Amino acid sequence: MYEYEIQQARSADLLRKAEHERLVREAVRTRRAARRAAQERTAGTESHTDRPRRRWSTRAA
C-alpha cells in the first residue's frame, strides 16, 4: 500500500511539472509574438535609404 501512495504522489508531481512547463512555453510564445508584432509596427516608420550615414567627424587628410 505504501508503494501505491508513493506512486500516486509521484504521478501528481509529474502532472504539476508538465502543466508548469506548458504554461512557460505558452508565455514564451506569447512574448515572441508580441515582440514580432511590435517590430512589424515600427519597421514601417523607420526610414531606410541606400545612402550611407553622414560622418560626424571630418575626414583625415
Side-chain angles (χ1 to χ4, degrees):
M1 193 65 167
Y2 184 70
E3 288 89 8
Y4 177 76
E5 292 173 2
I6 292 174
Q7 185 271 336
Q8 290 294 94
R10 177 80 174 133
S11 177
D13 186 43
L14 288 173
L15 288 172
R16 276 192 299 273
K17 285 182 181 179
E19 179 63 25
H20 180 261
E21 289 175 9
R22 276 193 292 274
L23 287 172
V24 168
R25 280 195 306 268
E26 183 181 346
V28 168
R29 234 180 279 126
T30 303
R31 276 185 292 202
R32 282 184 188 152
R35 226 181 295 139
R36 281 192 205 112
Q39 191 175 25
E40 288 174 3
R41 279 191 304 250
T42 60
T45 60
E46 294 177 2
S47 65
H48 295 284
T49 61
D50 294 333
R51 214 169 22 122
R53 296 184 85 174
R54 190 176 92 189
R55 295 179 186 259
W56 290 103
S57 60
T58 56
R59 290 188 175 176

